[in-house]
């Protein structure tokens, strides 16, 4: 059985290997065996490879999320059946052809795009929990985010719209304006020096309760300019790799709260899983769609890593 594994932490090109692992046994009571179909490759996976965020026990099969087809069920499993497509639990080692899972928490996905369903495990919970865990949003409130064309950004647009919130979406390229607007974005603007002034002119004194950053550097300062008094600025990534730079006087004057987000800090069953269930129908209907830049076979993992560093959403086709 093919899998992607590391035996020590380091540079991906040095430590990531395709290996042949023993097939998992038949499922015990309360378990299912799944054949993994697709799994995203995210920059977060490379942070795990480098040991930058967490250092799980080694050797480690990589892969934080994905979808699999149930191929065997153990005694007492009634929630899913052979043939069902299911979301794999977060941080479950998805980059392998087959694996055993507890049946608890698994549910049958509706008909839809399997590649799109493979991205349910990480981006929607990130967006959904940022919307629910850091400030008391009310229907009609505005949220401002940068990198709105990302997987998390598109998830936030779809979930915010479903929950009755409005979004201000800052991007680097005008070419995605129409696409994001069609996906439900209320305002789309270039992430530039005029953004705060232009958006404020459009929304007036409306409350911007939450700002969401994944860029770092000086980008959060533009979000803070739009944030209303007492609002929250939440960061979940740093695309630039640069320290956040904000005006301390603005932060103080607005009584703003700055928080960091990592999906792994939340309980999967009670926090992440409900958002996945909420987002699944949005994916099935096409209301939430993240265009992948490329799909690579599991054997082409090093080419996939090179591509994800250059940018874009990358998927691994795991099953043969």
């Amino acid at each position: 059985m093919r899998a992607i594994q590391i035996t020590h932490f380091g540079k991906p090109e040095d430590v990531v290997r395709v290996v042949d692992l023993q097939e998992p046994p038949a499922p015990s009571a309360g378990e299912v065996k799944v054949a993994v179909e697709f799994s995203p490759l995210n920059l977060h996976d490379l942070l795990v490879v480098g040991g930058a965020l967490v250092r799980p026990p080694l050797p480690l099969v990589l892969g934080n999320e994905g979808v699999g087809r149930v191929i065997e069920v153990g005694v007492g499993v009634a929630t899913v059946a052979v043939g069902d497509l299911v979301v794999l639990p977060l941080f479950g080692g998805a980059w392998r052809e087959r694996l055993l899972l507890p049946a608890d928490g698994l549910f049958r996905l509706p008909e839809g795009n399997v590649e799109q369903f493979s991205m349910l495990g990480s981006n929607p919970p990130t967006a959904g929990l940022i919307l629910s865990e850091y400030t008391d949003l009310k229907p009609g409130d505005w949220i401002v985010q940068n990198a709105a064309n990302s997987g998390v950004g598109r998830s936030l647009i779809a979930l915010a719209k479903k929950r009755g919130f409005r979004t201000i979406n800052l991007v680097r390229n005008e070419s995605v304006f129409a696409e994001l607007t069609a996906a439900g974005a209320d305002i789309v603007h270039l992430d530039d020096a005029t953004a705060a002034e232009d958006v404020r002119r459009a929304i007036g004194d409306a409350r911007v309760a939450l700002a969401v950053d994944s860029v770092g550097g000086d980008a959060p300062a533009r979000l803070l300019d739009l944030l209303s008094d007492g609002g929250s600025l939440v960061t979940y990534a740093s695309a630039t790799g640069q320290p956040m730079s904000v005006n301390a006087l603005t932060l103080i004057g607005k009584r703003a709260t700055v928080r960091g987000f990592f999906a792994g800090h939340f309980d999967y069953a009670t926090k992440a899983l409900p958002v996945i269930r909420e987002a699944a129908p949005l994916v099935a209907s096409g209301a939430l769609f993240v265009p992948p830049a490329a799909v690579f076979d599991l054997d082409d993992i090093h080419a996939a890593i090179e591509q994800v560093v250059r940018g874009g959403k990358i998927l691994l086709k795991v099953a043969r």
Side-chain angles (χ1 to χ4, degrees), residues 201-290:
R201 189 180 302 116
I203 69 172
D205 295 330
R207 182 175 183 244
V208 181
L210 178 65
V212 183
D213 168 62
S214 66
V215 177
D218 60 2
R222 293 188 285 276
L223 300 178
L224 188 61
D225 286 342
L226 275 165
L227 194 65
S228 296
D229 288 355
S232 294
L233 171 62
V234 178
T235 182
Y236 65 89
S238 178
T240 64
Q242 299 300 313
M244 293 177 65
S245 177
V246 298
N247 186 310
L249 294 179
T250 303
L251 193 67
I252 294 167
K254 291 194 172 186
R255 298 175 294 116
T257 301
V258 181
R259 299 287 297 274
F261 175 92
F262 174 53
H265 292 158
F266 292 85
D267 180 68
Y268 179 79
T270 60
K271 292 292 186 177
L273 186 58
V275 183
I276 293 171
R277 287 181 174 272
E278 179 185 7
L282 299 175
V283 173
S285 70
L288 172 53
F289 182 86
V290 180

Side-chain angles (χ1 to χ4, degrees), residues 15 48 72 82 140 142-143 159 161 165 209 213 216 229 235 263 298 304:
V15 302
V48 173
E72 289 185 55
V82 171
W142 289 90
I143 299 106
L159 288 168
K161 186 175 183 65
F165 312 136
D213 168 62
D229 288 355
T235 182
L298 202 65

Side-chain angles (χ1 to χ4, degrees), residues 9-67:
F9 300 105
K11 295 180 180 179
E13 61 269 26
D14 296 333
V15 302
V16 172
R17 294 287 182 269
V18 181
V19 298
D20 185 24
L21 296 183
Q22 185 175 354
E23 286 282 342
S28 300
E31 291 184 328
V32 300
K33 184 188 291 188
V34 301
V36 181
E37 296 202 1
F38 289 94
S39 176
L41 166 59
N42 301 307
L43 288 174
H44 176 271
D45 294 296
L46 303 189
L47 294 176
V48 173
V49 170
L53 280 180
V54 293
R55 287 182 171 249
L58 298 173
L60 175 68
V61 175
L62 301 167
N64 292 325
E65 58 176 332
V67 288

Side-chain angles (χ1 to χ4, degrees), residues 39-278:
S39 176
L41 166 59
N42 301 307
L43 288 174
H44 176 271
D45 294 296
L46 303 189
L47 294 176
V48 173
V49 170
L53 280 180
V54 293
R55 287 182 171 249
L58 298 173
L60 175 68
V61 175
L62 301 167
N64 292 325
E65 58 176 332
V67 288
R69 190 79 59 180
V70 177
I71 56 176
E72 289 185 55
V73 298
V75 174
V77 173
T79 53
V80 293
V82 171
D84 287 351
L85 188 72
V86 297
V87 177
L88 308 181
L90 272 177
F91 314 118
W95 296 354
R96 71 184 93 196
E97 291 183 294
R98 288 165 293 280
L99 76 165
L100 287 178
L101 295 173
D104 286 348
L106 298 182
F107 66 99
R108 181 182 182 273
L109 286 165
E111 294 297 319
N113 187 311
V114 178
E115 291 184 5
Q116 291 296 311
F117 283 135
S118 76
M119 294 180 269
L120 271 172
S122 177
N123 291 339
T126 296
L129 291 172
I130 287 174
L131 288 173
S132 66
E133 299 298 313
Y134 295 98
T135 192
D136 183 21
L137 290 171
K138 297 176 173 58
D141 279 349
W142 289 90
I143 299 106
V144 60
Q145 65 169 337
N146 54 29
N149 191 43
S150 67
V152 172
R154 288 171 179 262
S155 298
L156 189 143
I157 290 169
L159 288 168
K161 186 175 183 65
K162 179 180 179 296
R163 297 180 187 184
F165 312 136
R166 297 179 288 182
T167 57
I168 302 156
N169 303 277
L170 306 184
V171 295
R172 293 179 297 175
N173 195 321
E174 290 183 358
S175 66
V176 300
F177 277 25
E179 188 176 343
L180 293 183
T181 300
D186 295 284
I187 293 176
V188 187
H189 195 287
L190 284 177
D191 192 358
D192 61 18
T194 69
E197 182 179 354
D198 290 347
V199 170
R200 267 296 165 200
R201 189 180 302 116
I203 69 172
D205 295 330
R207 182 175 183 244
V208 181
L210 178 65
V212 183
D213 168 62
S214 66
V215 177
D218 60 2
R222 293 188 285 276
L223 300 178
L224 188 61
D225 286 342
L226 275 165
L227 194 65
S228 296
D229 288 355
S232 294
L233 171 62
V234 178
T235 182
Y236 65 89
S238 178
T240 64
Q242 299 300 313
M244 293 177 65
S245 177
V246 298
N247 186 310
L249 294 179
T250 303
L251 193 67
I252 294 167
K254 291 194 172 186
R255 298 175 294 116
T257 301
V258 181
R259 299 287 297 274
F261 175 92
F262 174 53
H265 292 158
F266 292 85
D267 180 68
Y268 179 79
T270 60
K271 292 292 186 177
L273 186 58
V275 183
I276 293 171
R277 287 181 174 272
E278 179 185 7

